[in-house]
Each structure stands twice: as structure tokens, then as C-alpha cells.
Amino acid sequence: MKFKNKLSAILGASILLLASACESFLDVNENPNNPEDAPISGLMTNSTYETALNVQRAGSATSNYVQYLASPNPSSGSDIMDQLDFSGTWFNLYNVMTDLNEIIRKAEESGANHYLGAGQILMALNLGMTVDLFGDVPFSESFNFETVTPAYDDDQILYDQVISLLDQGIANLQTESAISIGGDDFIFAGDIDSWIKFGYSLKARFLIHTKGSASYDANEVLSAVAAGFSSNADDAQVTFFEQRFNPWAQVAINNENLLLGGWISEQFIEALDGTSYPVADPRLPLMVGTTDDGEFIGVPNGAGRGDAPEQGARSTLIPGQFYTSEQSPILIATFAELKFIEAEAALDSDPGRAYEAYLSGIEAHMDMLGVSEEDKATYLADPSVGVGAGALTLDDIMKEKWVAMFLHPETWNDARRFDYGYKDMTLPANLNPNLNGNFIRRLAYPDSEVSRNGDNVPQVTLLDRIWWDQ
């Protein structure tokens, strides 16, 4: 069930909570051993809303790396994969996890098993995103307020905890609860069946990351898929409000006002306009804007826009499209993503199932965007897309998933697992020389953490890999 509540009162409560929710361990409080209390319903409002924003924030941090976006200016740090400071992203992830820790504690004390289960699923998601971005991170000592210099936990052990949290969350959602979740939940408005499907869909996501490791079990992934989302109607998303725009809409609006951002990578344009692949994708005009001449022209990553003016000569995100309308949803996890996970997991053992899932993933994304039935049928019938079960490859699956996950941070996980093997994806111009001709594999630890907890921060480079990226 989708939750599209636009009541100002609820939004106001959310905004207040943004300012007053429990601080993360990174904050310096007057009394860190006695954080301000907040009701469990208010914490749920804030946590569901801010989790969606964390997905967008992580997507904003990584969309240049996977060449959805490109900077209009040459040698921009995100474009050339420089070492950047993501203190804000780190803070927001931990701020939400601190609130979720309170939800879990309060729910355990009160027998509110549905809040407990939802809190554990959201904790798994935010923790998993943090590990996927940074590797080893503090967790076991992060929320007791007894230390401001928490130890770092091993990223592989934390992944086990992510899966355990999902399993616990699903189990708790299936038991009776002393308190019901309702309008304080911005994702599903208290629909417990949807929360359970969400938990299984996330489990499939995190398990597919481990492909190639000793712990990977394709059948375990497929079991999670079977219990996950069954249509686009199940998607986990937060729809925005008249008083607070979708952040990608704000990027598009800002760009129109010459605060340049949201320029589209040449790689993305050419992958969909018939240049890199034999068929033009009908989704392209529904996802990004054209030039003033009605053409789709991207920007080469790292090289900037050249002699093009600030407006009108290159494709950008524009207001009013699916991803950039003021009240467009932030997609946390989708049925389309799940079908591509199924396709990848089934490819070796059951090519027929993999092919059907691959086609279903494309259709689900096209339906989401509003592609016409005629255009959808034409695209799926093209020999380069409708390749047949016997000819389907991982390249086919990953290319279509890359399109369907536009602006989502999960794509960077896919890109690293796939060793950036997308057709015609090349290193950006003016690449950070410290990468020695290689794509970036992780984010650097933020300056705020180095300054506060430097003795515990691992010494890493941007080429060091997350445990599953081997």
C-alpha cells in the first residue's frame, strides 16, 4: 500500500523531529549520557522519512561514479573520483540508526513487536548502506553513549548482522504486537504484510552482494525473492509533500536557476539513444531532458561541458518527470530491482526463470515510468533485448538493471560487483591519479570521524575493497 499523506500537521511533526530526534554518537551533547526522550511513533515518522532521504543522499554521492550524472565543470571531484568528505552522509546514516536503536529498545520494553520488526528492517538497511559505502564502521559500541570513540567492526561480520536483523525483523512482524503502526509510517502506513515483503526483498538485495563469496547461496536469494515484492504496488518508497520537494526535483529546479547540477552523463545518454546498443530506449525521454534543439546530448565524465552554455545545450534532469516532480517518490526498494536480482541468481541454474525475471524487471520499470504498451512491446521484441533464455547473459541483466535503478545507490554496489563492466563505460577524463587508472572501490572515511575518532579509523585508500567486492 502506498502512503501519500500530505497533511501539514504530520509534515510539521516530521520537521520538528528532524531537529529534535536523539543525536548520534558523533554529536557533542551537553549530556550525552542522557539524550532527550522521544515517543516511539515520532521516532518511526522520522526514521521512515529520513531513511528515504539517506537513500537519495547515497545516490547523490555515487551517481557520478556509475555515470548516470556528470559534472558540467571539468575535473569536478565527484566526476574524477577524488577523495571527498562525506561527513554529512555519515552523520545522517548514524543519526537515523540512533533513532532506530531507540525504537528497538522501546519496542522490546513495551511488546510493540511490529515497531520492533520495522525498526530492525530499517536498521539493517541503514547499516548495510553504511557498510557498502565505507567498509568497516562502528556499530557495536555506537549507541550506548558511554564512549565518543567507538571501535570499528569488521564489515563482513556486520553483514552477518544485517541479515540477522532482517530475519529478526520479519519474525517480529509476524507476531502479535501491543501497539499498531499507522500513519507514523511514511513508507507503508502500517501495512505489516508490505513490511514483511520489504524485509525479504532487502534480504535478497544484501545476499546477492555476496555472490562469489564462500557464503553465497543462490537458492537462499531465490527463496527471499519468492517472499518479496510481487508487483510495483509493493514498492518501498516515500512520497514527498507540497511543503517539501523531492530532493531530485530540487536539483532540477536549482539547475534551471543556474545552480548547476543534475547534468546527464554521456555514457547514460548513449546507452539509451541507440549509440551503444542497437535499439533506442523509450524510457530516455521520460527520465531526462533534451537540449533546446530537442536532442539528447550528455556530458563526458571528468571533461565538463566544453564550450556549451550553462543552459540548453546538454541534457539534464528537468522538473516534472518521474524522478524529478516535486512530489515524486524516493524509491527505497522496488519490484523491478527484485526481478533483476532473481534473474542474476537464477541465471546459472534455471535460464528460463532468469529470462522471465529479466523481462519482468524491464516491464516493471517501464510501467513505473508510463511507457506505452506499443513502445514497450517494440523494445522487448528487439533482438538485442529479447535475446531468449538460451542467450541471456549477465551483461544483459546488469545493463537493464542499471537503467531501472537510475539515481539509486544500489547501482554502485552492482558496478563494483560487475567490475564496472557496462558496455562502453570508460574511466572519466582527468581521473584522480591516486587511483592508478582504476575505478573507485569505496568512500574515504569522513573528516569529521577522523578528527573525532582518528585512533580507531582504519587506514584505507579509495582502491581498497569492501569485503564482498573481491
Side-chain angles (χ1 to χ4, degrees), residues 17-57:
L17 281 161
L18 295 177
S20 63
C22 296
E23 300 291 345
S24 75
F25 74 88
L26 293 173
D27 287 330
V28 179
N29 300 311
E30 290 184 6
N31 185 356
N33 294 315
N34 185 29
E36 291 183 11
D37 197 24
I40 194 169
S41 61
L43 291 167
M44 179 60 71
T45 296
N46 194 56
S47 295
T48 51
Y49 180 76
E50 284 290 316
T51 292
L53 289 178
N54 278 345
V55 171
Q56 190 276 333
R57 290 160 179 150

Side-chain angles (χ1 to χ4, degrees), residues 386-401:
V387 296
L392 183 68
T393 66
L394 182 60
D395 289 20
D396 298 321
I397 295 167
M398 297 303 278
K399 180 262 181 175
E400 288 294 344
K401 188 179 181 186

Side-chain angles (χ1 to χ4, degrees), residues 22-316:
C22 296
E23 300 291 345
S24 75
F25 74 88
L26 293 173
D27 287 330
V28 179
N29 300 311
E30 290 184 6
N31 185 356
N33 294 315
N34 185 29
E36 291 183 11
D37 197 24
I40 194 169
S41 61
L43 291 167
M44 179 60 71
T45 296
N46 194 56
S47 295
T48 51
Y49 180 76
E50 284 290 316
T51 292
L53 289 178
N54 278 345
V55 171
Q56 190 276 333
R57 290 160 179 150
S60 180
T62 59
S63 282
N64 291 63
Y65 301 157
V66 297
Q67 297 181 6
Y68 289 142
L69 304 181
S71 175
N73 301 312
S75 300
S76 173
S78 57
D79 242 7
I80 67 172
M81 302 180 178
D82 261 350
Q83 180 167 317
L84 302 177
D85 179 18
F86 288 102
S87 292
T89 302
W90 176 279
F91 169 82
N92 286 308
L93 287 162
Y94 274 98
N95 210 32
V96 172
M97 286 192 283
T98 301
D99 281 358
L100 290 168
N101 186 70
E102 281 298 291
I103 289 175
I104 291 169
R105 181 185 66 80
K106 288 174 180 288
E108 287 174 335
E109 291 175 352
S110 62
N113 290 326
H114 290 173
Y115 278 97
L116 176 59
Q120 289 166 324
I121 286 171
L122 291 175
M123 180 69 87
L125 173 56
N126 283 276
L127 174 60
M129 285 195 294
T130 308
V131 173
D132 290 338
L133 293 171
F134 296 100
D136 296 355
V137 295
F139 187 72
S140 59
E141 296 182 359
S142 291
F143 311 112
N144 57 19
F145 298 101
E146 294 177 359
T147 177
V148 294
T149 56
Y152 276 61
D153 299 318
D154 179 80
D155 55 356
Q156 186 168 359
I157 292 174
L158 288 174
Y159 243 68
D160 292 339
Q161 192 149 2
V162 166
I163 301 302
S164 177
L165 282 164
L166 290 170
D167 287 339
Q168 293 173 57
I170 291 165
N172 283 313
L173 287 163
Q174 294 172 327
T175 62
E176 293 186 5
S177 181
I179 308 172
S180 297
I181 306 174
D184 49 351
D185 164 17
F186 276 146
I187 301 175
F188 296 118
D191 187 320
I192 301 306
D193 288 342
S194 293
W195 273 103
I196 293 170
K197 290 180 182 180
F198 181 34
Y200 279 115
S201 299
L202 289 178
K203 185 174 181 180
R205 174 192 289 178
F206 287 111
L207 287 174
I208 201 69
H209 294 173
T210 70
K211 184 182 174 186
S213 72
S215 63
Y216 177 73
D217 183 347
N219 288 328
E220 189 178 7
V221 177
L222 293 173
S223 293
V225 166
F229 300 146
S230 57
S231 73
N232 285 351
D234 293 331
D235 289 354
Q237 62 184 45
V238 168
T239 300
F240 282 78
F241 300 83
E242 293 161 359
Q243 300 92 334
R244 175 71 187 267
F245 296 168
N246 176 304
W248 290 116
Q250 194 63 61
V251 170
I253 293 167
N254 289 347
N255 187 69
E256 284 192 330
N257 294 323
L258 299 183
L259 299 173
L260 301 186
W263 289 49
I264 309 303
S265 170
E266 181 179 70
Q267 159 69 11
F268 186 76
I269 297 294
E270 293 187 351
L272 276 70
D273 72 357
T275 301
S276 296
Y277 296 89
V279 59
D281 195 317
R283 288 171 287 186
L284 182 59
L286 302 174
M287 298 172 75
V288 305
T290 65
T291 67
D292 288 346
D293 294 329
E295 299 177 312
F296 291 101
I297 301 176
V299 173
N301 288 86
R305 68 185 189 274
D307 60 0
E310 293 176 317
Q311 283 184 336
R314 298 291 183 268
S315 293
T316 66

Side-chain angles (χ1 to χ4, degrees), residues 435-457:
L435 292 177
N436 299 318
N438 297 287
F439 285 97
I440 189 171
R441 309 307 294 208
R442 67 182 303 138
L443 300 186
Y445 291 107
D447 293 348
S448 58
E449 180 66 2
V450 173
S451 65
R452 296 171 193 262
N453 195 18
D455 289 342
N456 289 323
V457 175

